[in-house]
């Protein structure tokens, strides 16, 4: 059982839940300050949102691995994944996807009516990403939209609605994720050309991809600035924004130096960015709660 758990954990790269986890918490904290004048939104909401987040991401990653089995088998970088080397069979992946989809829908039902109403459309978006690289260069942005749903889900859980500031937060996540996915895709530029897959690096080359990624990250910072402004953020929120911007610059710098730095930039910088931003938003929320 432990071996199976490890295989499925590797299949969905469970530790990368950190990317979307930080931003759902940011949305929930800001929403709670607005609604309850407190950063705490309750144990029930926290547990249900954690279940929804993990199950949705498990579904999305496993479905992607299922759909990409033939592609991953040809790529030297991915041919050791559990979905390719036989450690996890195709049928088991589909059962895993179905179970996580049902868990997500059930958790959404427990949150509120709007969350339940949107649960299936959210799953459609998450699953749709897996096919995008076969016919559109917009796959990078669709991945961004998939992770951008996390803060939207968080604010719906607390407020039962979608205020303007949460849209700016989500749009920032969309372009942040698309920007670092472009950098990550540089590793497969030749493979994508060979297999006829759609990606911005394979279509526009390395130099243009780097600049498009930088533009996406600049757009992300602009949207996050609008989020901080529209959510009436205090000094800590702006400090968090500034540090996030510096971390994005550092990420771009690492990749520009050497493409061997892509894993470090992708996994380390982005993982820290979300939780550093969350920490400052939490401090800001505490300041707004007890300082006003």
């Amino acid at each position: 059982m432990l071996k199976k758990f490890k295989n499925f954990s590797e299949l969905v790269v469970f530790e990368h839940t950190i990317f979307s986890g930080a931003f759902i918490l940011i949305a929930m904290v800001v929403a709670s300050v607005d609604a309850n004048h407190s950063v705490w939104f309750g144990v029930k909401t926290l547990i249900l949102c954690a279940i929804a987040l993990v199950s949705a991401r498990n579904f999305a990653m496993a479905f992607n691995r299922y759909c990409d089995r033939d592609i991953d088998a040809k790529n030297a970088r991915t041919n050791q994944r559990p979905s390719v080397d036989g450690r996890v069979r195709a049928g088991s992946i589909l059962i895993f996807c179905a179970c996580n989809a049902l868990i997500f829908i059930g958790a959404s039902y427990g949150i509120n009516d709007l969350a339940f109403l949107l649960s299936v459309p959210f799953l459609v978006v998450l699953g749709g990403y897996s096919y995008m690289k076969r016919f559109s260069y917009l796959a990078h942005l669709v991945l961004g939209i998939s992770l951008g749903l996390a803060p939207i889900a968080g604010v719906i859980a607390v407020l039962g609605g979608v205020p303007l500031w949460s849209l700016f937060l989500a749009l920032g996540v969309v372009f942040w994720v698309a920007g670092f996915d472009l950098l990550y895709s540089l590793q497969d530029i030749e493979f994508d050309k060979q297999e006829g897959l759609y990606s911005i690096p394979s279509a526009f080359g390395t130099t243009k991809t780097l600049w498009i990624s930088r533009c996406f990250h600049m757009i992300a910072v602009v949207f996050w600035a609008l989020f901080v402004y529209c959510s009436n953020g205090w000094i800590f929120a702006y400090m968090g924004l500034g540090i996030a911007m510096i971390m994005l610059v550092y990420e771009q710098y690492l990749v520009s130096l050497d493409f061997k730095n892509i894993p470090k930039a992708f996994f380390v910088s982005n993982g820290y960015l979300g939780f550093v931003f969350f920490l400052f938003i939490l401090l800001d929320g505490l300041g707004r709660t007890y300082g006003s």
Side-chain angles (χ1 to χ4, degrees):
M1 288 299 296
L2 180 60
K3 185 177 181 180
K4 288 183 178 180
F5 177 80
K6 288 181 177 179
N7 288 337
F8 275 99
S9 178
E10 183 181 341
L11 177 77
V12 300
V13 200
F14 183 77
E15 61 272 21
H16 293 171
T17 308
I18 189 173
F19 291 152
S20 48
F23 282 90
I24 192 173
L25 288 173
I26 288 173
M28 293 170 75
V29 165
V30 175
S32 184
V33 170
D34 286 350
N36 310 315
H37 202 62
S38 169
V39 297
W40 181 234
F41 34 79
V43 174
K44 177 184 176 182
T45 302
L46 177 63
I47 293 174
L48 287 173
C49 284
I51 293 172
L53 174 67
V54 172
S55 58
R57 189 184 175 281
N58 282 348
F59 165 80
M61 286 295 298
F63 189 68
N64 180 257
R65 295 292 189 255
Y66 174 81
C67 295
D68 283 358
R69 297 187 326 280
D70 56 332
I71 298 173
D72 290 343
K74 301 175 184 178
N75 190 337
R77 187 179 62 82
T78 59
N79 61 15
Q80 297 302 312
R81 286 175 173 172
S83 52
V84 177
D85 63 14
R87 282 178 288 160
V88 181
R89 296 180 181 275
S92 298
I93 297 175
L94 286 179
I95 293 172
F96 182 77
C97 289
C99 290
N100 277 280
L102 290 174
I103 292 170
F104 174 71
I105 293 171
S108 300
Y109 179 79
I111 292 172
N112 57 44
D113 290 344
L114 182 58
F116 179 60
L117 180 66
L118 294 175
S119 59
V120 173
F122 273 27
L123 290 175
V124 171
V125 173
L126 294 174
Y129 161 70
S130 299
Y131 294 103
M132 289 299 294
K133 71 179 70 175
R134 290 166 171 80
F135 60 85
S136 176
Y137 301 116
L138 297 177
H140 310 282
L141 283 169
V142 174
L143 178 63
I145 291 170
S146 298
L147 271 75
L149 293 176
I152 297 296
V155 75
I156 287 174
V158 177
L159 296 181
V162 184
L164 180 62
W165 61 259
S166 66
L167 294 177
F168 289 138
L169 176 62
L171 285 169
V173 172
V174 170
F175 284 96
W176 167 56
V177 171
F180 71 64
D181 188 56
L182 286 175
L183 299 180
Y184 193 70
S185 297
L186 288 170
Q187 298 175 106
D188 295 328
I189 184 170
E190 296 303 325
F191 178 80
D192 289 347
K193 288 179 181 179
Q194 177 183 329
E195 294 297 318
L197 298 174
Y198 290 81
S199 72
I200 287 178
S202 65
F204 299 101
T206 299
T207 302
K208 289 182 179 178
T209 297
L210 287 171
W211 279 108
I212 294 171
S213 175
R214 291 162 188 165
C215 289
F216 278 5
H217 280 168
M218 286 189 286
I219 293 170
V221 171
V222 170
F223 277 124
W224 284 339
L226 289 170
F227 149 67
V228 172
Y229 175 78
C230 292
S231 62
N232 300 312
W234 283 17
I235 183 64
F236 284 114
Y238 284 100
M239 289 173 62
L241 173 66
I243 293 174
M245 180 172 63
I246 291 171
M247 295 180 77
L248 288 177
V249 171
Y250 177 66
E251 177 181 332
Q252 294 287 343
Y253 171 71
L254 280 178
V255 176
S256 68
L257 282 180
D258 193 331
F259 286 178
K260 292 180 180 179
N261 292 327
I262 289 176
K264 179 180 179 181
F266 184 77
F267 300 126
V268 179
S269 297
N270 287 303
Y272 286 136
L273 184 150
F275 273 94
V276 168
F277 201 6
F278 164 67
L279 176 62
F280 278 91
I281 293 296
L282 179 61
L283 291 172
D284 199 76
L286 291 170
R288 291 169 59 189
T289 300
Y290 297 106
S292 57

